[in-house]
Amino acid sequence: MLAFLNGQFLPEEQARVSVLDRGFLYGDGVFETIRVANANPFQWPEHFERLERGAARLRIKLPCSNEELGQAALHLIAENGVTEAALRIALSRGPGPRGYSIKGADHPTLAMTLHAAPKLDPDHPRLWNVVTTAVRLPPKDPLSEIKSGNKLPHILARAEAESRGADEGLLLNGAGDPIETSSANLFWLERDTVCTPGVESGILPGITRAWVLDWCRQARVEVREKTVRSSQLSRADGIFATNSILGIVEIQQLDETRAARAALSGRLQRAWLGALNA
Amino acid sequence: MLAFLNGQFLPEEQARVSVLDRGFLYGDGVFETIRVANANPFQWPEHFERLERGAARLRIKLPCSNEELGQAALHLIAENGVTEAALRIALSRGPGPRGYSIKGADHPTLAMTLHAAPKLDPDHPRLWNVVTTAVRLPPKDPLSEIKSGNKLPHILARAEAESRGADEGLLLNGAGDPIETSSANLFWLERDTVCTPGVESGILPGITRAWVLDWCRQARVEVREKTVRSSQLSRADGIFATNSILGIVEIQQLDETRAARAALSGRLQRAWLGALNA
């Protein structure tokens, strides 16, 4: 596999960064994960916009424009001869002097790699078993709104879920309310209303979350951003999760409770796959 | 400069890790920063113990024993011909498949590098100007007790402090109480009692913090772990901070308030420098 690193295309095993890179030391960076379909990165503008916003929040100067990075992504996809994949962009502040000060760290590292993406078949949709984890995210955390390189809470939630035999772990915020899973945004149904926690709850506002909210508005399905208690969630009229690689995934089991079937989830996934493959 | 990477000693510019390393992508690791004096890493056992505890918490298998890593550190110091330095150990989970799951990421990365350490002169002690930052750390966060590679809150606090002309930034916890600065633990004096926030407040329990508490107990200086409000802190009978590279640093200014002189801080720094150079 070829990788992209700081303007160069080179074999993945040669794509290496300094041990002084602040990404490696402190998670001092942002990243994006994008589904590639028909050799095309789906929703590229939305992902690039979030990358740009995260970099600005961390005061990391993006070393290239939307057009330049987009061209490099297409070149990477073509050179590797893949059509279906997951594309990861990682931007770090690069190497710098010892310590937390960002002074003197002016050469960001930008890497893109391609990975296998799970096949998605609308006739055989995934169903997740989710458990509530011990991980708490701080509310009103300015970092939660960007896809930062500080992902230990999500890693620990995922590890806890897997060790308990589940697919994904549910994370709560400081108020004890469920807000997202380790790799996906959370939705639930109250009768025909599609509900999801608002940005102020501490979630990472996902690209697929926004796509679902848009779809609902266009389809005149009522949507509400609101908080939910754990006990309300397990009694909801269906639960599902969204991310950029898998689309919309129904949650069939939450802790000890069998969730109600969420028929809308299958309809959403078909629509999302339609857009992905358009 | 020579660096140590996964058992090898090599020129620092050749010490490189994969762009798939989870340290680089997610800050998925722990680190230590140790003062080297007279070619000896000060308080090595304490630092190694914290590294080991952090690795266990993140389920990263330490690829070497205390003795092996200690020998490698001494070798690195000797080969570089330095006697006074800052030694940084970085341990990450290493490369792995895409995504947060820790499955399949079984080859940790262990790097050690040496850096210039600021000179410390007890006759001309540093004095810090500290400002309260907008950064909030979650209370009772299990990650705060380990020196994890997720340091964006501390980086943002430091950047905010520097942009406001200060040396260091004060971080508050979710309850709004000051708990630490971006790179140091916080102490204050109430008459002759030495006070510092307890571990449950959300601090990283520092090695030098523990050294100060020990020293106080031996010198029969009363110590108390307690919470403090911002308004109480600026009215304290002296404020100081501690870290492993600088020892004990008096805080002379907190936001708009000139702090009371903390004579004990100079006495502690002399004692710490004595232990460092013993």
Side-chain angles (χ1 to χ4, degrees), chain A residues 202-232:
Chain A
I203 61 161
L204 173 72
I207 307 293
T208 308
R209 174 183 181 275
W211 187 93
V212 165
L213 293 178
D214 264 3
W215 184 92
C216 288
R217 282 174 195 127
Q218 283 177 29
R220 297 184 184 274
V221 172
E222 202 180 337
V223 294
R224 278 190 66 189
E225 295 184 66
K226 58 184 289 196
T227 57
V228 67
R229 299 257 137 198
S230 294
S231 56
Q232 294 170 320

PDB file of all heavy atoms in Angstrom, chain A residues 202-232:
ATOM      1  N   GLY A 202     -21.692  17.390  24.772  1.00  0.00           N
ATOM      2  CA  GLY A 202     -20.326  16.882  24.820  1.00  0.00           C
ATOM      3  C   GLY A 202     -19.993  15.920  23.693  1.00  0.00           C
ATOM      4  O   GLY A 202     -18.935  15.290  23.712  1.00  0.00           O
ATOM      5  N   ILE A 203     -20.893  15.798  22.693  1.00  0.00           N
ATOM      6  CA  ILE A 203     -20.647  14.872  21.575  1.00  0.00           C
ATOM      7  C   ILE A 203     -19.655  15.450  20.568  1.00  0.00           C
ATOM      8  O   ILE A 203     -19.441  16.658  20.511  1.00  0.00           O
ATOM      9  CB  ILE A 203     -21.944  14.559  20.787  1.00  0.00           C
ATOM     10  CG1 ILE A 203     -22.522  15.864  20.170  1.00  0.00           C
ATOM     11  CG2 ILE A 203     -22.951  13.861  21.654  1.00  0.00           C
ATOM     12  CD1 ILE A 203     -23.499  15.609  19.041  1.00  0.00           C
ATOM     13  N   LEU A 204     -19.067  14.558  19.782  1.00  0.00           N
ATOM     14  CA  LEU A 204     -18.418  14.962  18.538  1.00  0.00           C
ATOM     15  C   LEU A 204     -19.513  15.008  17.479  1.00  0.00           C
ATOM     16  O   LEU A 204     -20.161  13.988  17.207  1.00  0.00           O
ATOM     17  CB  LEU A 204     -17.354  13.940  18.117  1.00  0.00           C
ATOM     18  CG  LEU A 204     -16.741  14.182  16.733  1.00  0.00           C
ATOM     19  CD1 LEU A 204     -15.824  15.395  16.754  1.00  0.00           C
ATOM     20  CD2 LEU A 204     -15.983  12.962  16.251  1.00  0.00           C
ATOM     21  N   PRO A 205     -19.775  16.178  16.903  1.00  0.00           N
ATOM     22  CA  PRO A 205     -20.846  16.261  15.893  1.00  0.00           C
ATOM     23  C   PRO A 205     -20.411  15.588  14.594  1.00  0.00           C
ATOM     24  O   PRO A 205     -19.597  16.124  13.854  1.00  0.00           O
ATOM     25  CB  PRO A 205     -21.059  17.769  15.689  1.00  0.00           C
ATOM     26  CG  PRO A 205     -20.027  18.471  16.519  1.00  0.00           C
ATOM     27  CD  PRO A 205     -19.102  17.466  17.125  1.00  0.00           C
ATOM     28  N   GLY A 206     -20.915  14.408  14.356  1.00  0.00           N
ATOM     29  CA  GLY A 206     -20.467  13.587  13.229  1.00  0.00           C
ATOM     30  C   GLY A 206     -21.014  14.057  11.892  1.00  0.00           C
ATOM     31  O   GLY A 206     -22.074  14.689  11.813  1.00  0.00           O
ATOM     32  N   ILE A 207     -20.282  13.706  10.831  1.00  0.00           N
ATOM     33  CA  ILE A 207     -20.695  14.055   9.470  1.00  0.00           C
ATOM     34  C   ILE A 207     -21.957  13.257   9.094  1.00  0.00           C
ATOM     35  O   ILE A 207     -22.879  13.790   8.474  1.00  0.00           O
ATOM     36  CB  ILE A 207     -19.556  13.733   8.470  1.00  0.00           C
ATOM     37  CG1 ILE A 207     -18.227  14.392   8.890  1.00  0.00           C
ATOM     38  CG2 ILE A 207     -19.951  14.112   7.055  1.00  0.00           C
ATOM     39  CD1 ILE A 207     -18.196  15.879   8.836  1.00  0.00           C
ATOM     40  N   THR A 208     -22.007  11.989   9.500  1.00  0.00           N
ATOM     41  CA  THR A 208     -23.173  11.163   9.176  1.00  0.00           C
ATOM     42  C   THR A 208     -24.379  11.555  10.042  1.00  0.00           C
ATOM     43  O   THR A 208     -25.523  11.475   9.588  1.00  0.00           O
ATOM     44  CB  THR A 208     -22.819   9.672   9.335  1.00  0.00           C
ATOM     45  OG1 THR A 208     -21.634   9.415   8.575  1.00  0.00           O
ATOM     46  CG2 THR A 208     -23.937   8.773   8.841  1.00  0.00           C
ATOM     47  N   ARG A 209     -24.092  12.005  11.276  1.00  0.00           N
ATOM     48  CA  ARG A 209     -25.167  12.561  12.116  1.00  0.00           C
ATOM     49  C   ARG A 209     -25.839  13.721  11.380  1.00  0.00           C
ATOM     50  O   ARG A 209     -27.074  13.786  11.292  1.00  0.00           O
ATOM     51  CB  ARG A 209     -24.580  13.034  13.451  1.00  0.00           C
ATOM     52  CG  ARG A 209     -25.545  13.761  14.368  1.00  0.00           C
ATOM     53  CD  ARG A 209     -24.800  14.233  15.624  1.00  0.00           C
ATOM     54  NE  ARG A 209     -25.682  14.924  16.567  1.00  0.00           N
ATOM     55  CZ  ARG A 209     -25.970  16.227  16.491  1.00  0.00           C
ATOM     56  NH1 ARG A 209     -25.474  16.968  15.528  1.00  0.00           N
ATOM     57  NH2 ARG A 209     -26.781  16.765  17.415  1.00  0.00           N
ATOM     58  N   ALA A 210     -25.050  14.635  10.845  1.00  0.00           N
ATOM     59  CA  ALA A 210     -25.610  15.783  10.122  1.00  0.00           C
ATOM     60  C   ALA A 210     -26.372  15.317   8.881  1.00  0.00           C
ATOM     61  O   ALA A 210     -27.438  15.859   8.552  1.00  0.00           O
ATOM     62  CB  ALA A 210     -24.491  16.756   9.732  1.00  0.00           C
ATOM     63  N   TRP A 211     -25.833  14.282   8.212  1.00  0.00           N
ATOM     64  CA  TRP A 211     -26.508  13.756   7.019  1.00  0.00           C
ATOM     65  C   TRP A 211     -27.896  13.227   7.393  1.00  0.00           C
ATOM     66  O   TRP A 211     -28.888  13.479   6.699  1.00  0.00           O
ATOM     67  CB  TRP A 211     -25.649  12.647   6.392  1.00  0.00           C
ATOM     68  CG  TRP A 211     -26.181  12.160   5.084  1.00  0.00           C
ATOM     69  CD1 TRP A 211     -25.851  12.597   3.836  1.00  0.00           C
ATOM     70  CD2 TRP A 211     -27.199  11.159   4.895  1.00  0.00           C
ATOM     71  NE1 TRP A 211     -26.579  11.943   2.891  1.00  0.00           N
ATOM     72  CE2 TRP A 211     -27.424  11.053   3.510  1.00  0.00           C
ATOM     73  CE3 TRP A 211     -27.946  10.358   5.762  1.00  0.00           C
ATOM     74  CZ2 TRP A 211     -28.356  10.163   2.975  1.00  0.00           C
ATOM     75  CZ3 TRP A 211     -28.879   9.479   5.237  1.00  0.00           C
ATOM     76  CH2 TRP A 211     -29.069   9.384   3.857  1.00  0.00           C
ATOM     77  N   VAL A 212     -27.983  12.494   8.522  1.00  0.00           N
ATOM     78  CA  VAL A 212     -29.261  11.930   8.969  1.00  0.00           C
ATOM     79  C   VAL A 212     -30.248  13.054   9.314  1.00  0.00           C
ATOM     80  O   VAL A 212     -31.429  13.012   8.925  1.00  0.00           O
ATOM     81  CB  VAL A 212     -29.045  10.989  10.179  1.00  0.00           C
ATOM     82  CG1 VAL A 212     -30.369  10.683  10.885  1.00  0.00           C
ATOM     83  CG2 VAL A 212     -28.368   9.690   9.724  1.00  0.00           C
ATOM     84  N   LEU A 213     -29.767  14.066  10.014  1.00  0.00           N
ATOM     85  CA  LEU A 213     -30.658  15.171  10.386  1.00  0.00           C
ATOM     86  C   LEU A 213     -31.188  15.874   9.130  1.00  0.00           C
ATOM     87  O   LEU A 213     -32.380  16.197   9.047  1.00  0.00           O
ATOM     88  CB  LEU A 213     -29.928  16.168  11.294  1.00  0.00           C
ATOM     89  CG  LEU A 213     -29.544  15.616  12.685  1.00  0.00           C
ATOM     90  CD1 LEU A 213     -28.782  16.658  13.500  1.00  0.00           C
ATOM     91  CD2 LEU A 213     -30.788  15.143  13.461  1.00  0.00           C
ATOM     92  N   ASP A 214     -30.316  16.062   8.146  1.00  0.00           N
ATOM     93  CA  ASP A 214     -30.729  16.661   6.867  1.00  0.00           C
ATOM     94  C   ASP A 214     -31.774  15.803   6.163  1.00  0.00           C
ATOM     95  O   ASP A 214     -32.784  16.309   5.668  1.00  0.00           O
ATOM     96  CB  ASP A 214     -29.506  16.771   5.936  1.00  0.00           C
ATOM     97  CG  ASP A 214     -28.884  18.143   6.003  1.00  0.00           C
ATOM     98  OD1 ASP A 214     -29.372  18.974   6.799  1.00  0.00           O
ATOM     99  OD2 ASP A 214     -27.890  18.370   5.275  1.00  0.00           O
ATOM    100  N   TRP A 215     -31.491  14.511   6.104  1.00  0.00           N
ATOM    101  CA  TRP A 215     -32.413  13.590   5.420  1.00  0.00           C
ATOM    102  C   TRP A 215     -33.790  13.657   6.069  1.00  0.00           C
ATOM    103  O   TRP A 215     -34.815  13.705   5.385  1.00  0.00           O
ATOM    104  CB  TRP A 215     -31.846  12.162   5.487  1.00  0.00           C
ATOM    105  CG  TRP A 215     -32.669  11.153   4.739  1.00  0.00           C
ATOM    106  CD1 TRP A 215     -32.521  10.758   3.442  1.00  0.00           C
ATOM    107  CD2 TRP A 215     -33.794  10.418   5.258  1.00  0.00           C
ATOM    108  NE1 TRP A 215     -33.459   9.834   3.109  1.00  0.00           N
ATOM    109  CE2 TRP A 215     -34.269   9.596   4.200  1.00  0.00           C
ATOM    110  CE3 TRP A 215     -34.451  10.356   6.485  1.00  0.00           C
ATOM    111  CZ2 TRP A 215     -35.362   8.739   4.357  1.00  0.00           C
ATOM    112  CZ3 TRP A 215     -35.543   9.507   6.640  1.00  0.00           C
ATOM    113  CH2 TRP A 215     -35.982   8.708   5.587  1.00  0.00           C
ATOM    114  N   CYS A 216     -33.796  13.662   7.398  1.00  0.00           N
ATOM    115  CA  CYS A 216     -35.075  13.685   8.122  1.00  0.00           C
ATOM    116  C   CYS A 216     -35.850  14.957   7.786  1.00  0.00           C
ATOM    117  O   CYS A 216     -37.062  14.916   7.544  1.00  0.00           O
ATOM    118  CB  CYS A 216     -34.843  13.601   9.627  1.00  0.00           C
ATOM    119  SG  CYS A 216     -34.300  11.972  10.171  1.00  0.00           S
ATOM    120  N   ARG A 217     -35.138  16.075   7.772  1.00  0.00           N
ATOM    121  CA  ARG A 217     -35.832  17.346   7.488  1.00  0.00           C
ATOM    122  C   ARG A 217     -36.424  17.322   6.081  1.00  0.00           C
ATOM    123  O   ARG A 217     -37.551  17.751   5.864  1.00  0.00           O
ATOM    124  CB  ARG A 217     -34.868  18.522   7.679  1.00  0.00           C
ATOM    125  CG  ARG A 217     -34.694  18.847   9.155  1.00  0.00           C
ATOM    126  CD  ARG A 217     -33.637  19.899   9.452  1.00  0.00           C
ATOM    127  NE  ARG A 217     -33.309  19.872  10.880  1.00  0.00           N
ATOM    128  CZ  ARG A 217     -32.081  19.754  11.371  1.00  0.00           C
ATOM    129  NH1 ARG A 217     -31.041  19.681  10.574  1.00  0.00           N
ATOM    130  NH2 ARG A 217     -31.897  19.708  12.686  1.00  0.00           N
ATOM    131  N   GLN A 218     -35.651  16.776   5.145  1.00  0.00           N
ATOM    132  CA  GLN A 218     -36.156  16.711   3.769  1.00  0.00           C
ATOM    133  C   GLN A 218     -37.327  15.729   3.645  1.00  0.00           C
ATOM    134  O   GLN A 218     -38.247  15.959   2.857  1.00  0.00           O
ATOM    135  CB  GLN A 218     -35.034  16.317   2.810  1.00  0.00           C
ATOM    136  CG  GLN A 218     -34.098  17.496   2.535  1.00  0.00           C
ATOM    137  CD  GLN A 218     -32.939  17.123   1.644  1.00  0.00           C
ATOM    138  OE1 GLN A 218     -33.059  16.227   0.821  1.00  0.00           O
ATOM    139  NE2 GLN A 218     -31.823  17.803   1.813  1.00  0.00           N
ATOM    140  N   ALA A 219     -37.278  14.669   4.429  1.00  0.00           N
ATOM    141  CA  ALA A 219     -38.353  13.658   4.368  1.00  0.00           C
ATOM    142  C   ALA A 219     -39.515  14.034   5.294  1.00  0.00           C
ATOM    143  O   ALA A 219     -40.441  13.253   5.469  1.00  0.00           O
ATOM    144  CB  ALA A 219     -37.796  12.288   4.743  1.00  0.00           C
ATOM    145  N   ARG A 220     -39.439  15.226   5.891  1.00  0.00           N
ATOM    146  CA  ARG A 220     -40.456  15.711   6.840  1.00  0.00           C
ATOM    147  C   ARG A 220     -40.665  14.739   8.007  1.00  0.00           C
ATOM    148  O   ARG A 220     -41.775  14.541   8.488  1.00  0.00           O
ATOM    149  CB  ARG A 220     -41.783  15.988   6.129  1.00  0.00           C
ATOM    150  CG  ARG A 220     -41.608  17.094   5.103  1.00  0.00           C
ATOM    151  CD  ARG A 220     -42.904  17.497   4.426  1.00  0.00           C
ATOM    152  NE  ARG A 220     -42.638  18.494   3.397  1.00  0.00           N
ATOM    153  CZ  ARG A 220     -42.567  19.807   3.646  1.00  0.00           C
ATOM    154  NH1 ARG A 220     -42.738  20.272   4.862  1.00  0.00           N
ATOM    155  NH2 ARG A 220     -42.317  20.648   2.654  1.00  0.00           N
ATOM    156  N   VAL A 221     -39.560  14.140   8.425  1.00  0.00           N
ATOM    157  CA  VAL A 221     -39.568  13.353   9.665  1.00  0.00           C
ATOM    158  C   VAL A 221     -39.153  14.309  10.784  1.00  0.00           C
ATOM    159  O   VAL A 221     -38.171  15.041  10.640  1.00  0.00           O
ATOM    160  CB  VAL A 221     -38.572  12.178   9.583  1.00  0.00           C
ATOM    161  CG1 VAL A 221     -38.424  11.482  10.934  1.00  0.00           C
ATOM    162  CG2 VAL A 221     -39.000  11.192   8.508  1.00  0.00           C
ATOM    163  N   GLU A 222     -39.908  14.324  11.865  1.00  0.00           N
ATOM    164  CA  GLU A 222     -39.596  15.269  12.934  1.00  0.00           C
ATOM    165  C   GLU A 222     -38.290  14.879  13.624  1.00  0.00           C
ATOM    166  O   GLU A 222     -38.064  13.704  13.904  1.00  0.00           O
ATOM    167  CB  GLU A 222     -40.739  15.312  13.958  1.00  0.00           C
ATOM    168  CG  GLU A 222     -40.739  16.601  14.765  1.00  0.00           C
ATOM    169  CD  GLU A 222     -41.874  16.637  15.786  1.00  0.00           C
ATOM    170  OE1 GLU A 222     -42.882  15.915  15.584  1.00  0.00           O
ATOM    171  OE2 GLU A 222     -41.734  17.366  16.776  1.00  0.00           O
ATOM    172  N   VAL A 223     -37.422  15.860  13.881  1.00  0.00           N
ATOM    173  CA  VAL A 223     -36.169  15.594  14.608  1.00  0.00           C
ATOM    174  C   VAL A 223     -36.091  16.504  15.832  1.00  0.00           C
ATOM    175  O   VAL A 223     -36.594  17.626  15.814  1.00  0.00           O
ATOM    176  CB  VAL A 223     -34.915  15.828  13.722  1.00  0.00           C
ATOM    177  CG1 VAL A 223     -34.855  14.830  12.593  1.00  0.00           C
ATOM    178  CG2 VAL A 223     -34.852  17.243  13.197  1.00  0.00           C
ATOM    179  N   ARG A 224     -35.471  15.978  16.883  1.00  0.00           N
ATOM    180  CA  ARG A 224     -35.252  16.812  18.083  1.00  0.00           C
ATOM    181  C   ARG A 224     -33.883  16.518  18.667  1.00  0.00           C
ATOM    182  O   ARG A 224     -33.522  15.360  18.856  1.00  0.00           O
ATOM    183  CB  ARG A 224     -36.324  16.519  19.152  1.00  0.00           C
ATOM    184  CG  ARG A 224     -37.616  17.250  18.897  1.00  0.00           C
ATOM    185  CD  ARG A 224     -38.543  17.134  20.088  1.00  0.00           C
ATOM    186  NE  ARG A 224     -38.050  17.816  21.288  1.00  0.00           N
ATOM    187  CZ  ARG A 224     -38.598  17.706  22.491  1.00  0.00           C
ATOM    188  NH1 ARG A 224     -39.631  16.909  22.659  1.00  0.00           N
ATOM    189  NH2 ARG A 224     -38.098  18.355  23.530  1.00  0.00           N
ATOM    190  N   GLU A 225     -33.127  17.582  18.950  1.00  0.00           N
ATOM    191  CA  GLU A 225     -31.880  17.425  19.703  1.00  0.00           C
ATOM    192  C   GLU A 225     -32.227  17.614  21.172  1.00  0.00           C
ATOM    193  O   GLU A 225     -32.764  18.655  21.549  1.00  0.00           O
ATOM    194  CB  GLU A 225     -30.852  18.454  19.232  1.00  0.00           C
ATOM    195  CG  GLU A 225     -30.429  18.221  17.788  1.00  0.00           C
ATOM    196  CD  GLU A 225     -29.343  19.182  17.329  1.00  0.00           C
ATOM    197  OE1 GLU A 225     -28.229  19.107  17.861  1.00  0.00           O
ATOM    198  OE2 GLU A 225     -29.624  20.005  16.438  1.00  0.00           O
ATOM    199  N   LYS A 226     -31.939  16.620  21.983  1.00  0.00           N
ATOM    200  CA  LYS A 226     -32.340  16.680  23.389  1.00  0.00           C
ATOM    201  C   LYS A 226     -31.490  15.721  24.211  1.00  0.00           C
ATOM    202  O   LYS A 226     -30.808  14.854  23.665  1.00  0.00           O
ATOM    203  CB  LYS A 226     -33.829  16.334  23.531  1.00  0.00           C
ATOM    204  CG  LYS A 226     -34.199  14.967  22.990  1.00  0.00           C
ATOM    205  CD  LYS A 226     -35.699  14.685  23.060  1.00  0.00           C
ATOM    206  CE  LYS A 226     -36.181  14.470  24.480  1.00  0.00           C
ATOM    207  NZ  LYS A 226     -37.529  13.825  24.521  1.00  0.00           N
ATOM    208  N   THR A 227     -31.541  15.875  25.501  1.00  0.00           N
ATOM    209  CA  THR A 227     -30.828  14.939  26.365  1.00  0.00           C
ATOM    210  C   THR A 227     -31.715  13.722  26.609  1.00  0.00           C
ATOM    211  O   THR A 227     -32.923  13.759  26.415  1.00  0.00           O
ATOM    212  CB  THR A 227     -30.477  15.567  27.729  1.00  0.00           C
ATOM    213  OG1 THR A 227     -31.692  16.013  28.336  1.00  0.00           O
ATOM    214  CG2 THR A 227     -29.544  16.755  27.568  1.00  0.00           C
ATOM    215  N   VAL A 228     -31.066  12.639  26.995  1.00  0.00           N
ATOM    216  CA  VAL A 228     -31.812  11.417  27.289  1.00  0.00           C
ATOM    217  C   VAL A 228     -31.177  10.768  28.519  1.00  0.00           C
ATOM    218  O   VAL A 228     -29.964  10.852  28.717  1.00  0.00           O
ATOM    219  CB  VAL A 228     -31.796  10.455  26.073  1.00  0.00           C
ATOM    220  CG1 VAL A 228     -30.397   9.910  25.798  1.00  0.00           C
ATOM    221  CG2 VAL A 228     -32.777   9.303  26.250  1.00  0.00           C
ATOM    222  N   ARG A 229     -31.984  10.177  29.340  1.00  0.00           N
ATOM    223  CA  ARG A 229     -31.499   9.410  30.492  1.00  0.00           C
ATOM    224  C   ARG A 229     -31.296   7.962  30.049  1.00  0.00           C
ATOM    225  O   ARG A 229     -32.001   7.493  29.149  1.00  0.00           O
ATOM    226  CB  ARG A 229     -32.517   9.454  31.624  1.00  0.00           C
ATOM    227  CG  ARG A 229     -32.799  10.842  32.148  1.00  0.00           C
ATOM    228  CD  ARG A 229     -32.094  11.046  33.461  1.00  0.00           C
ATOM    229  NE  ARG A 229     -31.477  12.340  33.541  1.00  0.00           N
ATOM    230  CZ  ARG A 229     -30.521  12.659  34.411  1.00  0.00           C
ATOM    231  NH1 ARG A 229     -30.065  11.762  35.260  1.00  0.00           N
ATOM    232  NH2 ARG A 229     -30.003  13.861  34.432  1.00  0.00           N
ATOM    233  N   SER A 230     -30.394   7.267  30.708  1.00  0.00           N
ATOM    234  CA  SER A 230     -30.152   5.860  30.352  1.00  0.00           C
ATOM    235  C   SER A 230     -31.440   5.049  30.379  1.00  0.00           C
ATOM    236  O   SER A 230     -31.705   4.235  29.490  1.00  0.00           O
ATOM    237  CB  SER A 230     -29.154   5.242  31.331  1.00  0.00           C
ATOM    238  OG  SER A 230     -27.902   5.856  31.180  1.00  0.00           O
ATOM    239  N   SER A 231     -32.273   5.298  31.401  1.00  0.00           N
ATOM    240  CA  SER A 231     -33.501   4.503  31.554  1.00  0.00           C
ATOM    241  C   SER A 231     -34.478   4.800  30.421  1.00  0.00           C
ATOM    242  O   SER A 231     -35.189   3.903  29.950  1.00  0.00           O
ATOM    243  CB  SER A 231     -34.151   4.813  32.903  1.00  0.00           C
ATOM    244  OG  SER A 231     -34.395   6.208  33.003  1.00  0.00           O
ATOM    245  N   GLN A 232     -34.490   6.062  29.934  1.00  0.00           N
ATOM    246  CA  GLN A 232     -35.368   6.405  28.809  1.00  0.00           C
ATOM    247  C   GLN A 232     -34.878   5.762  27.517  1.00  0.00           C
ATOM    248  O   GLN A 232     -35.672   5.313  26.693  1.00  0.00           O
ATOM    249  CB  GLN A 232     -35.402   7.939  28.618  1.00  0.00           C
ATOM    250  CG  GLN A 232     -36.035   8.688  29.766  1.00  0.00           C
ATOM    251  CD  GLN A 232     -35.825  10.199  29.634  1.00  0.00           C
ATOM    252  OE1 GLN A 232     -34.746  10.651  29.249  1.00  0.00           O
ATOM    253  NE2 GLN A 232     -36.856  10.965  29.960  1.00  0.00           N
TER     254      GLN A 232
END
